[in-house]
């Protein structure tokens, strides 16, 4: 992602590949955003996303499952989609609302009253956070994320992060009734940072897994002259 030479516009993209058991997804999406001033130091961004996702599920390859003929059309799907988002921010706060996928594409069609149609349900995300000085070399960043989807309970993440000497992030996460986790990140310079996160579920699924590990590397490319804003609070 990067700002464009034209005032107020930014362009970005996402390429993804995800595999869980027999299901695979490969997709590419293009993002564009337009920012307007809402105050001396605050901005409101309007974002649009569009692209396509290629979904495959090799259910016939499962040796321990007898595949129902009604799921035969689940083997391969091309799923175009688009999304929309709003993001309002200043130097020390942000508030956002988004729906990354607005089209509810069907993966399977129910063949009888006892079967359910599989589809991509529309998800909504709401986020908010701020940065508070606790001392000359210590900052506190609380934030929340609320996820909403039809037919499922609300999911709420509560995060608490501390920034030391504008380089080291240390924090914790609690997902209401579901999981808790910890994270760490180091800012090597204005452009490069790396981080690690671990979370462990508090539900009965915890008996079957040992948590989730995540490693993150980020590098901001410089296409224009000028100094990169550092550190990046959000």
């Amino acid at each position: 992602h990067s700002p464009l030479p034209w005032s107020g516009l930014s362009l970005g993209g996402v390429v993804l590949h995800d595999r869980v058991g027999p299901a695979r997804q490969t997709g590419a999406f293009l993002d564009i955003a337009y920012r307007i001033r809402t105050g001396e130091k605050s901005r409101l961004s309007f974002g649009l996303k569009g692209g396509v996702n290629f979904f495959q599920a090799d259910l016939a390859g499962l040796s321990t499952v007898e595949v129902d003929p009604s799921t035969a059309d689940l083997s391969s799907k091309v799923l175009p989609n688009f999304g929309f988002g709003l993001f309002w921010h200043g130097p020390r706060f942000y508030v956002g609302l988004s729906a990354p996928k607005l089209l509810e594409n069907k993966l399977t069609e129910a063949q009888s009253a006892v079967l359910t149609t599989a589809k991509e349900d529309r998800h909504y995300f709401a986020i908010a956070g701020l940065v508070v000085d606790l001392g000359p070399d210590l900052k506190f960043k609380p934030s929340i994320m609320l996820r909403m989807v039809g037919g499922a309970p609300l999911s709420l993440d509560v995060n608490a992060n501390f920034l030391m000497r504008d380089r080291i992030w240390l924090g914790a996460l609690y997902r209401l009734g579901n999981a808790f986790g910890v994270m760490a990140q180091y800012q090597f310079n204005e452009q490069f940072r790396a981080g690690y996160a671990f979370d462990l579920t508090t539900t009965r699924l915890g008996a079957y897994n040992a948590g989730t590990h995540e490693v993150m590397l980020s590098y901001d490319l410089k296409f224009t002259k000028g100094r990169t804003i550092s550190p990046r609070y959000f």
Side-chain angles (χ1 to χ4, degrees), residues 11-30:
L11 189 68
V14 175
V15 177
L16 62 93
H17 179 73
D18 184 44
R19 182 169 185 171
V20 180
R24 288 180 295 172
Q25 296 189 67
T26 302
F29 292 86
L30 183 68

Side-chain angles (χ1 to χ4, degrees), residues 10-146:
S10 297
L11 189 68
V14 175
V15 177
L16 62 93
H17 179 73
D18 184 44
R19 182 169 185 171
V20 180
R24 288 180 295 172
Q25 296 189 67
T26 302
F29 292 86
L30 183 68
D31 304 312
I32 188 168
Y34 181 71
R35 297 184 301 167
I36 61 173
R37 290 178 178 267
T38 57
E40 184 178 351
K41 295 183 178 181
S42 62
R43 304 287 188 275
L44 177 62
S45 297
F46 303 85
L48 290 174
K49 170 188 290 289
V52 64
N53 197 35
F54 300 94
F55 179 86
Q56 292 179 302
D58 185 18
L59 299 184
L62 295 175
S63 58
T64 58
V65 176
E66 183 178 348
V67 179
D68 191 296
S70 64
T71 62
D73 65 338
L74 189 61
S75 59
S76 180
K77 293 286 183 179
V78 178
L79 309 173
N81 222 311
F82 67 95
F84 176 75
L86 295 171
F87 187 69
W88 182 47
H89 68 95
R92 295 294 187 95
F93 75 91
Y94 67 89
V95 178
L97 179 67
S98 67
K101 292 184 177 181
L102 291 174
L103 298 182
E104 296 186 313
N105 293 306
K106 292 183 179 180
L107 302 178
T108 63
E109 193 71 49
Q111 303 297 316
S112 68
V114 297
L115 296 175
T116 301
T117 298
K119 64 185 179 71
E120 292 184 314
D121 282 323
R122 191 177 297 123
H123 288 64
Y124 299 93
F125 298 84
I127 58 174
L130 57 90
V131 177
V132 180
D133 288 320
L134 297 182
D137 295 317
L138 182 63
K139 295 178 176 64
F140 175 52
K141 177 190 168 185
S143 63
I144 60 171
M145 173 183 283
L146 180 66

